[in-house]
Amino acid sequence: MCGIVGYIGNREAYPIVLKGLKRLEYRGYDSTGVAIIQDGKLQVHKKKGKVVELEDAVVGINMHSNICIGHTRWATHGEPSDRNAHPHLSNNGRFAMLHNGIIENYAPIKKELISKGYTFKSDTDTEVLLNFIQEIQDNNKSTLEEALRIALKRIVGAYCILLIDQDDPETIIAARKGSPLVIGIGKDEHFLASDASPIIEYTKEVVYVNDYEIAIVKKDELILKNLGNEKQTPFIQKLDMELAAIEKGGYEHFMLKEIFEQPETIYDCLRGRLLHEELEIVMAGVDHNIDALTNASRIIIVACGTSWHAGLVAEYVIEELCRIPVEVEYASEFRYRNPIVHKGDVIIAISQSGETADTLVALEKAKEQGAFIFGVVNAVGSSIARLSHAGAYTHSGPEIGVASTKAFTGQLAVLNMMALKIAKAKGTIKTEYYLHLLQELQDVPEKVEAILKNADELKVIAAKYVTARDFLFLGRGYNFPIALEGALKLKEISYIHAEGYPAAEMKHGPIALVDENLPVVFIATKDSYHEKIISNMQEIKARKGKVISIITDGDEVSPTLSNDTFSIPSADEIIAPILSVIPLQLLSYYVGTLKDVDVDKPRNLAKSVTVE
Ligand code: F6R
């Protein structure tokens, strides 16, 4: 949430920061701002709205500078507006600062500062922290760095901040706790950003700043210190990412590109792990911890949103194949309810970004209580990946569209492979079935390709139902979480109210919603629940609901009960959710675009939820 970019070096800084902000807009797009130092004077430009609005606003202004910090905001404290946009200026006009995160104890600090005569132009917690730093500096006659360190020890909350001083145009000071910060190292230049996407075209050498670290960044020097003022050795890593991965590549939206990338991203996830010739799955994180995993008396899956839906599918799969009880928890609930975690419990954390604040804190708590943490994460080097004892990356590549698509299918592929490995090690799966599922997983990329070839059919279906006020998504068994995911996707990017339900549970309430105006999407692929779901379709049809069904190739019964059908290749029921979600992603995409929603940046959302 919120994207931050900074540059210091010999080049023109503003265009680099502006381009970086466009890459980070998926993290928030309420307002944008930049600060530069020009001829010894701070200049701050900020604007409500997307990055392009700031770009337009500064046309004709001399933006020449070799130092710049910029911010694209997802509002927490204070409505989206010019005055609440970052960066903020200190009362003495000397410092400019931007911030991703939340300062929880800002109110008493603000009160104290007001009593000392400070005034505030915005409603933000950030401006409070900045003036608090100024106050400490004035009182202690300390350096800015010292004042920042003292302030950070007094505040409660999460932050990634960039701070510049009009009197020192050679330095950007940065600090992080709970919100990500990457520093790219170039020749006589440094790049700072919330993730690597603004950096990738300039350098592949990066340092991921850790919590409670302060970075003093000059064009030719990077000093990392902890809050105790001790120098830390920067750990330089090589970025394993190509520029093409963060560009639209001819697609109208990142979301569409990411949906269509799935044959390759799923293949990348399986590659080197699913060794078909050897009839084996190799996953280092699982192999090295196989005892902890097979001996787990229970597995707790912790995640949010779409990742939580992947967890629900995994619950069904792991219980079926491994016979280990699984609980799936919303991270935000788990962390606050004094959960019972025993030493030896296995926690599987699922997260695309690896930065979701609720998931991160839930894991920290569980780790303290002795649980073994296994991370299923997409973003390499992210906080959750680093906090986990072991893990498996989904290798889906950067996901930029706000609605998660390819990361979800990557999560399902990883979780299926994990379940198969654990089941084999425990002896809870018959060899024949294990080999069958191996083959089924192997076939997924090709089947996804086949589904995508028929995407236009979903465009036609979307056009028929685009004016609906509500949608219901129903599924049973392995496809129940897919119904939840279908409803979430539609809500997010079309603003149509949608609910996902277990198909049988529908009779216990939601059936009251059904009339001739309600589209009901059935995920009705051939599985052990198929006859039951056919009965549920009958029940909807009898009440004149519009039935849209996602079915398996060759199913002749479902079309007779449906107004519209979309057919996908047959697959084992354990594997089928990876396929059945694809038409739902496309349906949402087409409905959203027909409604003219900016599907990559739907209102109020941000890709990476780094605040609670
Ligand atoms: C929905 C979506 C969100 C995320 C959720 C968790 O399309 O993207 O619901 O799934 O915010 O994010 P991660 O997986 O990054 O922890």
Side-chain angles (χ1 to χ4, degrees):
M1 253 161 193
C2 300
I4 63 175
V5 190
Y7 174 81
I8 185 156
N10 295 325
R11 307 188 207 208
E12 283 296 333
Y14 165 71
I16 292 175
V17 169
L18 188 77
K19 196 171 188 188
L21 290 175
K22 286 185 181 164
R23 296 233 167 99
L24 290 184
E25 245 185 332
Y26 72 87
R27 300 177 67 87
Y29 30 83
D30 292 337
S31 53
T32 314
V34 291
I36 58 173
I37 304 173
Q38 196 181 72
D39 303 327
K41 274 221 70 65
L42 260 179
Q43 267 193 39
V44 173
H45 302 278
K46 42 196 204 172
K47 196 92 197 116
K48 180 179 168 186
K50 294 183 177 155
V51 177
V52 66
E53 306 199 25
L54 174 83
E55 188 178 10
D56 291 346
V58 302
V59 169
I61 297 176
N62 174 7
M63 296 296 286
H64 167 71
S65 180
N66 300 124
I67 180 170
C68 181
I69 57 173
H71 187 269
T72 174
R73 178 171 188 248
W74 186 87
T76 53
H77 286 71
E79 57 166 17
S81 63
D82 290 356
R83 73 188 175 85
N84 284 331
H86 299 214
H88 295 281
L89 274 174
S90 56
N91 268 209
N92 62 8
R94 212 182 117 183
F95 311 127
M97 190 173 94
L98 50 80
H99 167 216
N100 167 23
I102 289 186
I103 310 300
E104 289 172 20
N105 59 338
Y106 79 100
I109 300 175
K110 186 170 185 177
K111 206 166 151 204
E112 190 185 317
L113 290 170
I114 289 174
S115 73
K116 290 180 173 161
Y118 281 81
T119 55
F120 292 89
K121 294 196 171 69
S122 76
D123 307 317
T124 65
D125 50 350
T126 308
E127 197 186 7
V128 175
L129 173 58
L130 177 59
N131 283 309
F132 187 40
I133 295 167
Q134 181 197 313
E135 168 69 7
I136 294 170
Q137 202 210 19
D138 285 349
N139 272 347
N140 298 7
K141 304 281 172 266
S142 59
T143 62
L144 181 59
E145 184 198 324
E146 272 159 17
L148 171 67
R149 196 175 309 116
I150 296 168
L152 294 182
K153 285 186 187 159
R154 291 261 315 265
I155 57 160
V156 178
Y159 54 82
C160 171
I161 57 168
L162 300 189
L163 175 62
I164 55 175
D165 175 354
Q166 177 170 269
D167 295 348
D168 180 7
E170 308 293 322
T171 311
I172 299 176
I173 301 183
R176 87 155 257 185
K177 187 207 147 200
S179 301
L181 176 62
V182 193
I183 301 181
I185 303 167
K187 188 166 165 10
D188 286 337
E189 57 185 355
H190 284 103
F191 306 82
L192 301 93
S194 304
D195 73 27
S197 58
I199 298 175
I200 180 85
E201 71 186 90
Y202 307 104
T203 176
K204 290 211 162 183
E205 296 209 323
V206 294
V207 171
Y208 289 92
V209 178
N210 292 309
D211 277 351
Y212 304 106
E213 281 181 351
I214 294 181
I216 300 103
V217 189
K218 299 180 187 293
K219 68 176 186 182
D220 50 3
E221 188 178 37
L222 165 63
I223 297 173
L224 280 186
K225 290 185 180 176
N226 62 17
L227 292 187
N229 199 23
E230 292 160 332
K231 279 199 180 173
Q232 309 291 302
T233 310
F235 175 53
I236 301 172
Q237 299 188 39
K238 274 251 174 291
L239 278 179
D240 179 22
M241 190 201 277
E242 295 304 325
L243 192 57
I246 53 167
E247 292 184 331
K248 278 193 204 151
Y251 285 91
E252 203 177 330
H253 294 99
F254 279 110
M255 183 180 176
L256 192 63
K257 177 187 176 221
E258 286 157 9
I259 293 174
F260 272 84
E261 270 173 358
Q262 287 175 108
E264 294 100 74
T265 54
I266 298 167
Y267 176 76
D268 285 345
C269 178
L270 303 176
R271 190 169 47 150
R273 289 171 166 164
L274 197 92
L275 306 182
H276 199 247
E277 307 258 294
E278 289 86 342
L279 309 176
E280 200 44 274
I281 296 172
V282 176
M283 294 171 93
V286 179
D287 289 319
H288 294 154
N289 297 286
I290 198 69
D291 289 344
L293 291 161
T294 49
N295 295 330
S297 51
R298 69 176 175 154
I299 291 176
I300 306 170
I301 298 180
V302 179
C304 302
T306 288
S307 298
W308 185 78
H309 296 154
L312 284 182
V313 177
E315 176 184 24
Y316 282 67
V317 176
I318 295 172
E319 290 200 343
E320 174 63 29
L321 299 183
C322 313
R323 310 310 298 157
I324 300 174
V326 179
E327 287 163 31
V328 188
E329 298 273 359
Y330 283 117
S332 53
E333 291 297 315
F334 181 75
R335 61 177 286 195
Y336 282 117
R337 67 169 170 74
N338 194 12
I340 301 166
V341 179
H342 302 294
K343 195 166 170 32
D345 277 347
V346 167
I347 307 259
I348 299 181
I350 309 176
S351 177
Q352 186 287 124
S353 61
E355 301 293 347
T356 301
D358 282 318
T359 310
L360 197 54
V361 181
L363 296 181
E364 279 164 1
K365 277 186 132 184
K367 200 172 178 184
E368 275 164 26
Q369 289 175 259
F372 171 74
I373 316 282
F374 191 97
V376 176
V377 174
N378 191 36
V380 176
S382 55
S383 302
I384 293 174
R386 287 186 288 154
L387 183 132
S388 303
H389 293 108
Y393 283 118
T394 48
H395 296 311
S396 310
E399 190 179 67
I400 294 169
V402 160
S404 187
T405 53
K406 63 175 181 172
F408 179 72
T409 48
Q411 290 163 349
L412 294 185
V414 163
L415 291 160
N416 276 334
M417 285 191 283
M418 279 181 72
L420 279 167
K421 277 189 79 69
I422 298 169
K424 188 164 177 248
K426 277 192 80 164
T428 47
I429 187 168
K430 292 211 172 84
T431 307
E432 204 180 317
Y433 192 39
Y434 172 82
L435 295 177
H436 165 71
L437 289 177
L438 232 57
Q439 181 63 52
E440 286 279 305
L441 264 177
Q442 177 99 348
D443 293 343
V444 166
E446 206 177 305
K447 291 180 182 174
V448 173
E449 188 93 60
I451 294 171
L452 293 170
K453 282 207 174 104
N454 297 330
D456 280 351
E457 290 176 29
L458 289 154
K459 212 185 255 180
V460 175
I461 298 176
K464 268 176 88 173
Y465 298 100
V466 65
T467 54
R469 204 191 54 184
D470 309 283
F471 262 73
L472 195 56
F473 287 76
L474 301 176
R476 299 180 80 117
Y478 300 102
N479 274 327
F480 154 54
I482 300 304
L484 297 181
E485 177 59 8
L488 177 64
K489 284 293 87 97
L490 190 73
K491 273 185 276 214
E492 281 185 288
I493 58 167
S494 76
Y495 312 151
I496 294 177
H497 167 245
E499 287 196 46
Y501 246 78
E505 187 66 19
M506 166 267 293
K507 289 199 282 293
H508 301 279
I511 198 163
L513 298 171
V514 180
D515 63 15
E516 67 282 5
N517 298 315
L518 184 76
V520 183
V521 180
F522 278 91
I523 300 94
T525 49
K526 277 267 174 68
D527 55 19
S528 32
Y529 312 86
H530 193 61
E531 280 173 17
K532 304 274 177 218
I533 208 152
I534 292 285
S535 311
N536 299 137
M537 266 187 217
Q538 302 267 21
E539 289 152 7
I540 297 294
K541 195 174 154 66
R543 286 158 185 85
K544 300 198 167 42
K546 301 276 185 290
V547 174
I548 304 164
S549 54
I550 308 300
I551 62 169
T552 305
D553 286 344
D555 176 356
E556 286 172 1
V557 180
S558 304
T560 63
L561 300 170
S562 309
N563 298 72
D564 294 279
T565 56
F566 183 85
S567 177
I568 65 173
S570 127
D572 187 281
E573 62 184 1
I574 285 193
I575 308 295
I578 314 184
L579 304 178
S580 55
V581 74
I582 311 265
L584 304 186
Q585 297 170 344
L586 283 164
L587 181 68
S588 303
Y589 174 80
Y590 290 127
V591 173
T593 47
L594 283 169
K595 291 191 75 182
D596 249 350
V597 172
D598 181 353
V599 296
D600 282 340
K601 302 187 196 95
R603 70 182 175 212
N604 303 335
L605 284 166
K607 180 82 184 151
S608 182
V609 185
T610 53
V611 294
E612 301 173 29

